[in-house]
Amino acid sequence: YTYQWQQSINGGPFTDIPGATGQNYDPPVLSTTGTYEYLRIETSGACGISTSNVVKLEVVDSPVATVLPDPGIVCAGLSLQMFAEFVPGTRPITSQLWTGTGTPYLSSTSIKDPEFNAAALASGTFTLTFTVRDGVNCSASASTTVTVSPKPTITNPPADIIICSGQTATYNATT
């Protein structure tokens, strides 16, 4: 037997694919949206030609995701509003989810714009990734880090002093 694979792009005519002469065919990575159709022609010297069924491969645009702030910084004890944006690809978005080490501190992991609550945190750096997925399982993710900065602590406060009228005072931290 001999084989020849053919391709049709967006309803155009079927044409031979150069070098596609095996029983199986793996198309290259397709990044241009459209409808690609494939068929295999099988030839047997004595028995003639047989054509396979047409196999359709549809390439759709993937969604795009972004997150802000990137990076995020929040003081310990406060909160930080997170913002996620996405542009759907060819298909509508069916799910959205935040993941990462910072998710225990989010007001929700399944909404676009949750609040990162650092009320119980003294400091640390946390990762957050926002992922959207559409109905054909195309997905996009965007990641950021949130750094919780510790509150300043006065460890050596200045001491009270008494001066006479007309004198100057200098405050020095105590040791």
Side-chain angles (χ1 to χ4, degrees), residues 3-126:
Y3 304 99
Q4 177 62 60
W5 284 87
Q6 292 189 337
Q7 170 180 270
S8 166
I9 301 173
N10 295 323
F14 278 92
T15 57
D16 289 350
I17 302 169
T21 56
Q23 185 175 3
N24 300 313
Y25 175 66
D26 292 325
V29 173
L30 300 169
S31 55
T32 304
T33 60
T35 301
Y36 298 80
E37 295 179 303
Y38 299 92
L39 62 81
R40 181 181 69 192
I41 299 172
E42 186 174 320
T43 305
S44 170
C47 298
I49 296 174
S50 180
T51 302
S52 73
N53 60 307
V54 173
V55 177
K56 183 164 72 167
L57 175 66
E58 184 178 1
V59 179
V60 297
D61 284 326
S62 294
V64 176
T66 57
V67 294
L68 291 173
D70 183 25
I73 300 172
V74 62
C75 294
L78 300 178
S79 62
L80 175 67
Q81 185 68 51
M82 303 302 299
F83 298 96
E85 294 297 327
F86 60 84
V87 177
T90 306
R91 301 289 194 260
I93 297 299
T94 57
S95 70
Q96 56 191 21
L97 184 67
W98 289 89
T99 57
T101 60
T103 56
Y105 309 104
L106 292 178
S107 57
S108 174
T109 57
S110 60
I111 62 172
K112 270 184 26 171
D113 303 331
E115 189 173 287
F116 183 92
N117 186 348
L121 298 172
S123 64
T125 300
F126 304 89

